Amino acid sequence: MQARKKYVLLGLCACCWLVLFYWGGAVQLRLLRLLTRQRGEVVRPWPNWTDRAFLPRYAHLDELQTDPGTAESPRQRRQAWSAIYKDSRCRMETCFDFSRCRRRGREGFRVYIYPSEKNDHVSESYRKILTSIAESRYYTSDPREACLFVLGIDTLDRDQLSGQFVPNVDERIRGYPLWNDGRNHLIFNLYSGTWPNYTEDLGFNIGQAILAKASLNTEHFRPGFDVSIPLFSKDHPQKGGERGWLVRNTIPPRRKYLLMFKGKRYLTGIGSDTRNALHHIHNGKDIVSLTTCRHGKDWEKHKDARCDHDNLEYERFDYQELLHNSTFCLVPRGRRLGSFRFLESLQAACIPVLLSNGWELPFSDVIQWNQAVIEGDERLLLQVPSTVRAVGNERVLALRQRTQMLWEAYFSSVDKIVLTTLEIIKDRVFSHISRNKYMWNSLPGGLLVLPEYSTHLAHFPFYYLGLGVSPGQEFTAVIHAVSPLVSQSQPIMKLLQVVSKSKYCSQIIILWNSEKPPPIRSKWPPMPVPLTVFTIVFLSQTTSRFLPHVAIETEAVLSLDEDTVLLTSEVNFAFLVWRSFPERIVGYPPRSHFWDPLKRAWGYTSKWTNDYSIVLTGAAFYHRYYHYLFSHYLPQSLRTLVDRTSNCEDILMNFLVSAVTHLPPVKVAQRKQYKELPSPQGTKSVPWANPEHFNQRQECVNTFANWFGYMPLVHSQFRLDPVLFKDQVSVLRKKYKDLERA
């Protein structure tokens, strides 16, 4: 009993001592603060570390990017953000009106651009964005049809010190009758905030608008609502863009330099810590990390002891040479989280090593960036060299190849950046027919895989190999007929007999594009396969041959002109070749393009040479998906040009397929005796008899190249012949006997 009382008494004493210590210490601390304030001294409760690398892992990111005496606290920045972006919890389900987009079904995704006012100054970059939307298949000039609205006001540069800054945006957008607190609006932005803090403040309330922004912070990013876009320069091309630098699988995969960076060093302000520390990893041998203070008007006022040495070392190396010869490229944050170095590294197949904590990477909703970049930590810079040295050669090659795929699919032009943004939003609106991650992250990329056609991978020719799937064993012949049937001896009659005898032919479709009505069924020859005749409603609609007709049930399409002369064995052989190259055009008549340096234009030739880049669709196989892509991906302006001239549709299809695959068509062997037969009396003359026909095709090649932004056609000398074709072997032993006898 006595022992118990003793322990209770000791416990009470200990509690009293703790209470006195706590309250007494707090009172003393308050008195100390009061005395120091009276003396004018500044109390620093925490040391001002100069080497951020020694901060603990749990340090807040905002603390790392704070310049003492000038920047706001993390709490102040969050409060400022919430005051401007009051709808920070927006999601598609809460801040988007789906009914505007679903009025017309799948065709309901239309984008309206507000007209610019007379005195509005629009930057070159924003003009490119608006042009991309205006020339897309989603643009509408009628706001009543719109699902999405884009401001005519330039909102790209919201730095108040910039000459591109547009004031009074809040007042102007509130005056728009359709603004509706930003609902169903899309706002583009590249630069936000101003010196010295460079916050994400845009200077106006975006309300419930979707924000497509560069340098987005993960803390402020609204998942499934906002879209992170890359920072791109004003010189970024409108269309096409340059190809990536990794032309083929270069061996060895590692280059002269392991790791490189060359860029600005900030002496003061946000972002200076990361750039100032980069010199620690520079060894001048396999790691080249160069910075310069020589930028801005008053850099000499702030120069430190390292500036002169750094500037001299900076001039020793050429940036382009480093890009070409480095395996990894450092991409540290600048004043903002994003950097021009990101896109430059992707194009150069120099694997980006990111040092930008908190950056929501571009198009992160759909792109699997861990397959293309290495994400470092700004606080652990000294670990970066050992990290990249540990990456194996196989992974290096895989990462480099993925940089090229992403660059060419989504980042090489303003067009692709804008269309990727729209397609991501469209997938959210029509989630039941949206693309999956595999489609976005494998060739040819999400922009060329239209989910309206199908959401099943096995329905697209690009995925057969990866899925281990083989294309179907039958084809549909589609014959384009423009001449009235006046004789049973016309070439189309023989062509029908030849094609229908193929054991791989499933059906024959005739597209009747003649002024006279098609003959009744009894006038056509009897055939072992179904024959369907479609009458083209609008005459001279040449592109009708590439409409996605629902009657085409097979994956393979054999496109034929009415006067094509082939043997059944030639049809069979070409089909078997196509089954090995289902993503390409496979056929007989070749053509080629060339660059004319005197005219500074592309030329077109029909001369038979070893090189070719076009296989005419008058006798060619291709996948039926290209019908859908031709009709729904290409702009109406190109299809109208083809219909107006009744020419060039075969060239346009070759442009499209080569742009998708980055590969040439495949030519199969052709009989030497093959000749184009003269047209019978009473029928239309062949188009190539018209002297204007060839000139039109020359013009088409240049028009198509201008729209694509580059020349997608690829030259090839590859030609496939049947086994034992034209060899000194008995005809009885040959699979394609008719080819030998012809």
Side-chain angles (χ1 to χ4, degrees), residues 30 34 60 78 123 128 187 200 241 307 310 349 351 404 415 437 444 490 497 523 547 598 648 653 666 670 730:
R30 292 191 184 99
L34 182 60
H60 196 279
R78 285 193 291 271
S123 65
K128 289 179 179 178
I187 294 174
E200 297 192 38
C307 277
D310 286 355
I351 303 165
Q404 301 302 272
D415 253 10
K437 283 286 185 73
Q490 284 180 223
Q497 295 286 359
K523 296 292 184 180
L547 288 174
L598 296 178
C648 304
M653 178 60 88
V666 176
Q670 199 164 0
S730 171

Side-chain angles (χ1 to χ4, degrees), residues 400-419:
R400 292 179 66 193
Q401 289 174 332
R402 184 52 57 93
T403 63
Q404 301 302 272
M405 179 263 156
L406 295 176
W407 164 258
E408 293 181 8
Y410 308 118
F411 300 108
S412 62
S413 68
V414 176
D415 253 10
K416 291 177 181 177
I417 293 172
V418 172
L419 288 176

Side-chain angles (χ1 to χ4, degrees), residues 120-300:
D120 277 350
H121 175 75
V122 179
S123 65
E124 182 65 24
S125 295
Y126 199 60
R127 185 175 290 107
K128 289 179 179 178
I129 289 176
L130 298 183
T131 300
S132 297
I133 297 173
E135 293 181 354
S136 75
R137 61 186 181 278
Y138 299 129
Y139 174 72
T140 179
S141 58
D142 186 352
R144 294 171 298 180
E145 296 180 351
C147 162
L148 202 61
F149 299 85
V150 175
L151 299 179
I153 304 171
D154 188 345
T155 57
L156 286 190
D157 195 340
R158 301 306 297 163
D159 184 343
Q160 295 182 20
L161 300 180
S162 170
Q164 307 288 343
F165 180 81
V166 179
N168 305 322
V169 173
D170 243 335
E171 298 176 12
R172 295 177 61 181
I173 60 178
R174 280 201 300 266
Y176 290 161
L178 298 172
W179 173 244
N180 192 23
D181 195 31
R183 204 171 181 85
N184 286 53
H185 282 67
L186 174 63
I187 294 174
F188 288 92
N189 175 256
L190 294 182
Y191 307 99
S192 61
T194 190
W195 186 89
N197 299 322
Y198 296 97
T199 63
E200 297 192 38
D201 178 8
L202 299 186
F204 66 96
N205 184 8
I206 66 171
Q208 299 179 25
I210 297 172
L211 186 60
K213 186 182 186 307
S215 304
L216 256 175
N217 193 310
T218 53
E219 190 176 333
H220 304 139
F221 176 69
R222 296 172 290 183
F225 191 73
D226 291 332
V227 180
S228 178
I229 63 174
L231 181 65
F232 60 89
S233 70
K234 63 180 181 180
D235 299 322
H236 207 55
Q238 174 78 61
K239 292 178 175 289
E242 294 183 12
R243 293 288 302 273
W245 295 0
L246 186 66
V247 179
R248 55 184 63 87
N249 295 347
T250 52
I251 302 296
R254 294 186 181 272
R255 296 172 173 174
K256 177 181 178 181
Y257 302 107
L258 174 70
L259 181 67
M260 68 79 65
F261 173 76
K262 187 178 180 183
K264 298 176 182 178
R265 177 161 72 90
Y266 307 117
L267 299 172
T268 60
I270 192 169
S272 57
D273 295 327
T274 303
R275 295 287 181 102
N276 287 343
L278 294 179
H279 74 283
H280 288 298
I281 63 173
H282 173 73
N283 63 20
K285 297 177 182 177
D286 64 337
I287 298 179
V288 178
S289 182
L290 307 168
T291 57
T292 180
C293 310
R294 193 183 290 116
H295 59 89
K297 296 179 181 179
D298 56 350
W299 70 272
E300 293 190 54

Side-chain angles (χ1 to χ4, degrees), residues 84 98 106 200 369 377 497 521 698:
I84 297 167
F98 289 88
R106 296 179 181 179
E200 297 192 38
W369 282 111
D377 192 316
Q497 295 286 359
R521 182 63 182 88
Q698 294 264 44

Side-chain angles (χ1 to χ4, degrees), residues 10 12 20 23 33 90 109 131 148 195-196 205 225 253 269 353 400 418 433 481 547 563 598 608 612 641 714 718 730:
L10 288 174
L12 290 173
L20 289 172
W23 288 106
R33 286 177 177 172
C90 266
F109 191 79
T131 300
L148 202 61
W195 186 89
N205 184 8
F225 191 73
V353 180
R400 292 179 66 193
V418 172
I433 52 167
L547 288 174
D563 54 355
L598 296 178
W608 285 28
Y612 67 92
L641 170 65
V714 182
F718 183 60
S730 171

